[in-house]
Amino acid sequence: MCVIKTSLRYNSNSDQLADAFIQGAKESGNSVEEISLKDKNIAFCKGCLACLKSGECVIRDDANSITEQIKQADVIVWATPIYYYEKSGQMKVMIDRANSLYETDYQFRDVYLLSTAAENEDGVDHRAINGLKGWVACYPKSHFVGSVFAGGVDESNTIKDHPALKKAYEIGKAIQ
Ligand SMILES: Cc1cc2nc3c(=O)[nH]c(=O)nc-3n(C[C@H](O)[C@H](O)[C@H](O)COP(=O)(O)O)c2cc1C
């Protein structure tokens, strides 16, 4: 399992939601690789598509090794703050930079989304879910399995005691 935390904020709410998922997954014996995009150097995709011929991105930065970790994991968990009713820009850039995986023998099958936002309304995460489903649709051996949303958390470190933490923990724990 590979968990990718995409918030760049310290004491991030979505990081803590991911930590709850990870705790559950580890308690069930899963091996979990954690990646945080904090302090990573990841350039925008240039759209050259050289990766489809060579199998790797021509840009050399931290995205290359993260792409390899995504390729080898069986389960991918993306954790993101909601920015303008969508996933974070940094999550999107990482997805684009992993384009070399297209039509490769990628191993990931189950994909989850964890997200946090200031608003606590139904549907705040819907565009982020749909966006991630677009990525999954391009990798037909994979499936979007589920999501956990924590609304009503804006300042950092305010997710403590949120019911979504338990939900994330339980979904993580249910993975065998
Ligand atoms: C650029 C930006 C855009 C945001 N857009 C939204 C939004 O559309 N809806 C919302 O409810 N919260 C929005 N927020 C608030 C964050 O989603 C919220 O603070 C979240 O808990 C941050 O998660 P993190 O601590 O993991 O970074 C936005 C925050 C930023 C910085």
Side-chain angles (χ1 to χ4, degrees):
M1 178 184 302
C2 178
V3 180
I4 306 161
K5 299 171 174 174
T6 72
S7 175
L8 305 185
R9 186 157 78 155
Y10 285 90
N11 294 314
S12 143
N13 294 315
S14 57
D15 282 9
Q16 291 174 49
L17 193 57
D19 289 338
F21 191 102
I22 289 165
Q23 188 191 339
K26 283 186 174 170
E27 285 180 15
S28 290
N30 290 283
S31 119
V32 181
E33 284 186 43
E34 286 178 55
I35 298 166
S36 170
L37 299 190
K38 282 182 198 64
D39 304 321
K40 297 288 192 301
N41 175 28
I42 298 175
F44 296 129
C45 171
K46 295 177 190 290
C48 68
L49 296 177
C51 60
L52 297 186
K53 291 188 186 129
S54 67
E56 56 189 350
C57 184
V58 293
I59 306 169
R60 295 288 165 190
D61 62 17
D62 292 325
N64 309 85
S65 61
I66 296 171
T67 298
E68 195 54 34
Q69 285 175 278
I70 293 172
K71 182 179 184 181
Q72 302 301 341
D74 53 351
V75 176
I76 306 292
V77 183
W78 292 96
T80 185
I82 295 294
Y83 285 174
Y84 292 99
Y85 296 102
E86 249 289 6
K87 65 177 99 48
S88 62
Q90 49 275 20
M91 174 171 159
K92 180 64 166 65
V93 171
M94 187 58 236
I95 282 176
D96 294 345
R97 287 293 308 285
N99 191 58
S100 62
L101 301 181
Y102 190 66
E103 293 183 347
T104 65
D105 187 24
Y106 58 88
Q107 295 301 302
F108 60 90
R109 297 293 180 265
D110 293 350
V111 177
Y112 294 83
L113 180 71
L114 311 176
S115 66
T116 57
E119 289 171 73
N120 196 17
E121 309 291 332
D122 281 349
V124 174
D125 61 339
H126 280 183
R127 291 174 184 84
I129 291 170
N130 281 338
L132 188 57
K133 282 181 176 172
W135 181 66
V136 166
C138 297
Y139 292 91
K141 287 182 285 184
S142 73
H143 336 270
F144 182 82
V145 183
S147 61
V148 181
F149 171 69
V153 292
D154 199 7
E155 296 300 316
S156 59
N157 225 7
T158 50
I159 197 170
K160 291 188 191 321
D161 302 325
H162 196 291
L165 292 171
K166 185 162 186 281
K167 191 174 171 194
Y169 166 81
E170 283 168 358
I171 293 177
K173 190 157 188 174
I175 297 173
Q176 297 304 324

